[in-house]
Amino acid sequence: MSFKIIVDSCCDLGPDLLSGPVYQSVPLTIQVGEREFRDDETLCTQELVDAMDMCQEASRTACPAPAEYLAAYEAAEGDIYVVTLSALLSGSHNSAWQAAQIFREEHPDRNIHVFNSCSASAGETKIALELAGLAGSGLPFDEVAAQMDRRIADMNTLFVLENLDTLRKAGRLTRVQSLITGALRVKLVMGSTPQGEIMRHGQALSIKQALSKLVTIMADDEKHRGKLLCISHCLCRDRAEYLRSLAFKYCSFADVRIEETRGISSFYANSGGIVAAY
């Protein structure tokens, strides 16, 4: 059975995968001052980050309309799997779900399943990669969906950011957290709850210390063994490689994959940000 995996553009799949037959990305948009960036293959990460640094007001994002998802479903052949940003962080999941309801009414003989990643960035990437493996293995559609839902519930996402301005402007940090991190210039080790909200795991005085804390969290979690670790980085390949070396040294991952952040992930991670999911 043929299949298509449709993701929103917070999924950090590289151009090599997005240009192939398996995946299709539905773009979000980013408004920075008077400029609008469409998160597709034309977006330049450095240009986006520079524009955000120069803009004094809070930038914002907009999720795809249900019609954009529906158009992607209509163009797909075979079974359709959809992976979106955490429903608690974006309206992308709701748009994808609404479009799926319409698609089912018009195509009752077709299979479609919308996954709430309860994550973002590297978390969506990990889900999309593992979905391709499950769907390509010949398992029935319902079994692929059920197995992937269990994997999502078992997944953990962690991140370390150099710059917290976007999270602060977007209200993702409390006022107290913003004051402390700004005054002390500490680096927070953050992560996602099982429901997909952002939580704080700890702090460090440098990026390297923060990445070491992140690896300690992973190593102490027995559930990491034998899994795929996905790392996304925003304009800091050296940090991603450093994290990979630590992960191989102290953890027991089956494999580690590094990708560059796309537009939406770069919007929140900002230059120097690292996101890891396992």
Side-chain angles (χ1 to χ4, degrees):
M1 172 67 77
S2 63
F3 64 91
K4 192 78 171 183
I5 299 174
I6 296 171
V7 300
D8 66 27
S9 63
C10 194
C11 180
D12 295 326
L13 292 171
D16 57 326
L17 292 173
L18 289 177
S19 62
V22 174
Y23 300 102
Q24 180 178 348
S25 178
V26 179
L28 283 81
T29 56
I30 305 163
Q31 190 74 35
V32 183
E34 298 298 317
R35 297 186 63 183
E36 182 177 274
F37 294 83
R38 184 172 173 83
D39 193 7
D40 57 19
E41 68 280 358
T42 67
L43 186 139
C44 172
T45 301
Q46 187 67 65
E47 187 178 348
L48 170 65
V49 170
D50 289 344
M52 290 169 56
D53 286 345
M54 294 175 62
C55 186
Q56 297 302 313
E57 58 191 272
S59 302
R60 59 185 186 273
T61 64
C63 67
E68 294 179 81
Y69 275 110
L70 186 58
Y73 303 163
E74 294 286 359
E77 296 182 358
D79 294 341
I80 301 173
Y81 303 95
V82 190
V83 182
T84 75
L85 265 158
S86 167
L88 294 180
L89 298 179
S90 170
S92 181
H93 178 75
N94 188 51
S95 287
W97 183 86
Q98 288 184 34
Q101 299 303 104
I102 298 171
F103 185 81
R104 288 190 185 99
E105 291 179 5
E106 297 178 350
H107 305 279
D109 58 326
R110 297 284 303 279
N111 291 322
I112 185 169
H113 187 92
V114 180
F115 296 96
N116 174 10
S117 72
C118 295
S119 183
S121 187
E124 286 187 69
T125 304
K126 176 179 166 61
I127 293 166
L129 292 172
E130 294 189 349
L131 253 178
L134 286 173
S137 70
L139 286 173
F141 177 83
D142 289 342
E143 181 60 25
V144 172
Q147 283 200 32
M148 200 67 245
D149 276 330
R150 289 193 292 270
R151 293 190 189 191
I152 291 172
D154 199 43
M155 186 175 70
N156 196 7
T157 305
L158 301 166
F159 60 94
V160 174
L161 306 185
E162 176 74 52
N163 187 327
L164 297 172
D165 282 351
T166 304
L167 283 183
R168 176 181 56 79
K169 291 176 182 177
R172 303 299 185 191
L173 292 179
T174 67
R175 182 174 179 273
V176 172
Q177 285 177 324
S178 298
L179 290 172
I180 291 174
T181 55
L184 300 181
R185 298 187 181 279
V186 298
K187 310 303 178 187
L188 298 183
V189 181
M190 310 287 281
S192 63
T193 67
Q195 296 75 33
E197 292 183 294
I198 293 175
M199 63 178 291
R200 176 179 174 275
H201 283 281
Q203 64 187 47
L205 295 178
S206 71
I207 284 290
K208 281 200 169 183
Q209 288 180 1
L211 293 177
S212 294
K213 282 181 177 287
L214 187 152
V215 171
T216 299
I217 294 170
M218 295 192 297
D220 289 343
D221 183 359
E222 290 293 328
K223 293 189 296 184
H224 85 271
R225 296 180 180 276
K227 286 187 174 182
L228 168 67
L229 171 64
C230 287
I231 300 172
S232 291
H233 72 90
C234 183
L235 304 174
C236 58
R237 178 83 189 192
D238 56 335
R239 289 180 182 176
E241 295 287 359
Y242 176 70
L243 178 58
R244 174 157 60 182
S245 68
L246 290 180
F248 275 133
K249 183 176 182 179
Y250 295 107
C251 303
S252 302
F253 290 107
D255 194 15
V256 179
R257 184 181 180 100
I258 295 176
E259 297 284 359
E260 297 179 2
T261 52
R262 299 178 66 204
I264 295 297
S265 298
S266 299
F267 174 81
Y268 284 107
N270 220 310
S271 184
I274 292 283
V275 186
Y278 63 93

